[in-house]
């Protein structure tokens, strides 16, 4: 049995998220069908995470197993890109050790969220438009409070199947891209369902003067999703990187 990592990107606009859904098309299902088309075997694909409906990935990692002779990974990449729809592309396919796991072996994941203060029709599916410019300097200062905590229940979707709501945030910042666009970057060892969108929504309340730094701390400490801000829409969110230890590679 040989295990392979697939590095891919996708525009999540037309998908009900990464994970297979009973009532809509997913990226995972689309990728599995493409693998079946040329390998002629039912192939299960396990992703590094579960992006929600409408969320994009500039870089997602997934693994699959293949019984038999080792695959020509460059050929797998080429054939997948021919079969997959235009909104999903494969960067690379690499063989890894048989016990390597795309989700559980990930050391960190990085997401970016984009907001704009300008109405611009060609970026509406990749940006969240703000009708009033918030105080981004204040949002940057308060965002660093995330370093001081590990339990982020207040930013988690309710009734999930995870065993712990603990995460370690290692990088967080707002960066201005141009006159009307800002980028929020956050890196952690793991993320909870809806966590990034809830964090951004709560920080926007800080930037709009609705929540103080102490209030932000209180939101985290109360461990109550109802106390945090409204989640921002999915179209501005991108998974951009997943890091792994060197020892997993074949």
């Amino acid at each position: 049995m040989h295990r392979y990592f697939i590095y891919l990107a996708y525009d999540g606009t037309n998908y009900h998220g990464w994970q297979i859904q009973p009532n809509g098309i997913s990226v995972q299902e689309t990728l599995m069908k493409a693998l079946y088309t040329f390998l002629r075997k039912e192939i299960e694909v396990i992703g590094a995470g579960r992006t929600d409906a409408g969320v994009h990935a500039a870089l997602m990692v997934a693994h699959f197993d293949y019984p038999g002779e080792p695959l020509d990974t460059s050929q797998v990449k080429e054939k997948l890109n021919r079969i997959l729809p235009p909104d999903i592309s494969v960067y690379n396919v690499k063989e890894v050790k048989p016990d390597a796991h795309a989700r559980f072996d990930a050391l960190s994941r990085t997401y970016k969220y984009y907001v704009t203060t300008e109405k611009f029709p060609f970026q509406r599916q990749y940006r969240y438009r703000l009708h009033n410019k918030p105080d981004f300097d204040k949002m940057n200062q308060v965002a660093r409070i995330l370093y001081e905590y590990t339990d982020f229940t207040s930013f988690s979707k309710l009734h999930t199947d995870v065993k712990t709501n603990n995460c370690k945030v290692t990088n967080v910042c707002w960066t201005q891209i141009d006159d009307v666009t800002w980028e929020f970057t956050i890196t952690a060892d793991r993320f909870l369902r809806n966590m990034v969108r809830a964090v951004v929504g709560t920080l926007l309340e800080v930037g709009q003067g609705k929540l103080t730094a102490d209030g932000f701390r209180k939101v985290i400490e109360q461990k109550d999703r109802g106390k945090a801000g409204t989640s921002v829409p999915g179209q501005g969110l991108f998974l951009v990187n997943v890091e792994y230890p060197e020892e997993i590679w074949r």
Side-chain angles (χ1 to χ4, degrees):
M1 186 71 72
H2 298 269
R3 179 162 290 187
Y4 300 89
F5 271 24
I6 300 177
Y7 284 75
L8 67 150
Y10 53 85
D11 179 332
T13 304
N14 296 321
Y15 297 94
H16 288 240
W18 163 263
Q19 192 171 21
I20 290 177
Q21 304 289 331
N23 58 348
I25 189 68
S26 69
V27 179
Q28 183 184 31
E29 179 184 1
T30 304
L31 183 56
M32 287 168 60
K33 286 181 176 178
L35 283 165
Y36 176 78
T37 297
F38 78 93
L39 294 178
R40 296 300 175 187
K41 293 181 183 294
E42 295 288 346
I43 302 292
E44 183 180 12
V45 174
I46 307 296
R50 303 175 182 176
T51 55
D52 292 332
V55 175
H56 318 289
L59 189 150
M60 165 65 95
V61 184
H63 77 252
F64 72 94
D65 292 329
Y66 181 74
E69 294 299 315
L71 296 171
D72 180 335
T73 54
S74 61
Q75 188 180 64
V76 174
K77 171 190 169 183
E78 181 182 344
K79 289 190 175 182
L80 281 175
N81 280 326
R82 288 181 183 178
I83 297 167
L84 288 165
D87 51 10
I88 303 177
S89 65
V90 174
Y91 292 139
N92 199 4
V93 179
K94 300 171 71 173
E95 186 170 3
V96 293
K97 293 180 178 178
D99 60 347
H101 199 286
R103 180 182 175 189
F104 299 133
D105 283 336
L107 298 175
S108 68
R109 299 159 177 83
T110 299
Y111 282 89
K112 290 182 182 290
Y113 194 90
Y114 294 91
V115 299
T116 180
T117 56
E118 190 78 12
K119 185 178 182 181
F120 190 58
F122 304 113
Q123 290 190 336
R124 68 190 187 281
Q125 66 191 45
Y126 307 116
R127 304 286 186 270
Y128 174 45
R129 186 188 171 200
L130 305 176
H131 294 278
N132 297 295
K133 182 181 174 182
D135 185 339
F136 284 98
D137 289 336
K138 185 66 176 293
M139 289 157 64
N140 239 338
Q141 295 169 14
V142 172
R144 298 186 186 109
I145 292 173
L146 295 169
Y147 294 142
E148 303 171 25
Y149 295 88
T150 55
D151 189 328
F152 294 111
T153 301
S154 293
F155 301 127
S156 174
K157 186 174 183 179
L158 298 175
H159 311 302
T160 62
D161 57 358
V162 299
K163 296 179 181 178
T164 174
N165 287 334
N166 287 356
C167 311
K168 179 62 178 175
V169 175
T170 54
N171 181 48
V172 60
C173 66
W174 285 94
T175 305
Q176 186 167 1
I177 304 301
D178 55 37
D179 289 345
V180 297
T181 309
W182 282 261
E183 171 190 87
F184 176 69
T185 304
I186 184 167
T187 302
D189 58 345
R190 61 191 292 267
F191 286 91
L192 307 173
R193 290 287 304 279
N194 204 52
M195 177 174 165
V196 181
R197 292 162 59 194
V199 167
V200 172
T202 308
L203 286 173
L204 285 173
E205 291 194 355
V206 172
Q208 293 161 352
K210 300 176 182 178
L211 189 67
T212 64
D214 286 341
F216 188 79
R217 287 182 187 276
K218 190 173 181 181
V219 165
I220 299 173
E221 291 170 357
Q222 285 180 305
K223 302 178 184 178
D224 181 348
R225 178 65 187 92
K227 303 299 183 184
T230 302
S231 295
V232 288
Q235 81 267 14
L237 183 60
F238 290 75
L239 174 63
V240 300
N241 195 32
V242 187
E243 293 286 344
Y244 292 95
E246 287 296 325
E247 58 265 24
I248 71 167
W249 307 114
R250 194 73 171 179

